Amino acid sequence: MTKGLNALSHPARIEILKHLSGYHACCCKDVVKHLHLAQSTVSQHLKVLVDAGLVHVRPERQSSRYEVDTEALQSLTGSLARLTQTCIDAKKSRESNHEAEANEQ
C-alpha cells in the first residue's frame, strides 16, 4: 500500500493514470503530448507507477506501451478503505470507552 500511495502522491502521476485509463495502452510520447512535460520527466513518473505495480509496461517494436493495472488499483483502494475503517472504528471505540468512563465517575 505504501508504494502505491507514494506513487499517487505526485499530481503528474495522477494525471498520467487518468490519461492512461482512457486507452488500452499508449506510449510515453502520447503522455508527453497530453501533459506537456519533458519526455524524461514523464519517463521518470511512469517508472514510479510501474515500480509501484499500478501500471504495466510491455515492449512493442521500438517503443514501450503503458497501461493501467486496474486490479492493482482496486487492491490499493481496498487496502486504503480497510485502513480508514480500522482507524474510524478505533476512534469511535476510544470515544465510547471515554464516555463510559466519564459516566461512571
Side-chain angles (χ1 to χ4, degrees):
M1 182 170 66
T2 304
K3 274 184 148 182
L5 292 175
N6 183 52
L8 295 176
S9 69
H10 195 285
R13 291 193 286 268
I14 292 171
E15 287 304 313
I16 289 170
L17 267 182
K18 287 180 186 177
H19 180 72
L20 292 176
S21 295
Y23 300 89
H24 175 66
C26 64
C27 61
C28 183
K29 71 177 181 175
D30 295 330
V31 178
V32 168
K33 287 178 190 175
H34 176 73
L35 294 181
H36 308 290
L37 295 172
Q39 188 273 332
S40 59
T41 302
V42 171
S43 290
Q44 289 173 341
H45 286 306
L46 283 167
K47 181 178 182 339
V48 171
L49 291 167
V50 168
D51 289 347
L54 300 177
V55 170
H56 289 296
V57 61
R58 71 173 191 266
E60 188 174 284
R61 290 183 233 132
Q62 295 179 346
S63 65
S64 296
R65 306 286 285 174
Y66 296 89
E67 63 182 300
V68 174
D69 183 335
T70 54
E71 289 181 14
L73 281 174
Q74 287 176 330
S75 176
L76 178 60
T77 299
S79 295
L80 184 56
R82 286 187 296 279
L83 170 64
T84 303
Q85 195 60 53
T86 298
C87 293
I88 290 169
D89 291 346
K91 183 170 175 32
K92 286 180 181 178
S93 177
R94 189 175 57 251
E95 289 172 350
S96 178
N97 289 341
H98 182 70
E99 286 178 20
E101 289 173 1
N103 287 338
E104 288 176 4
Q105 295 175 359

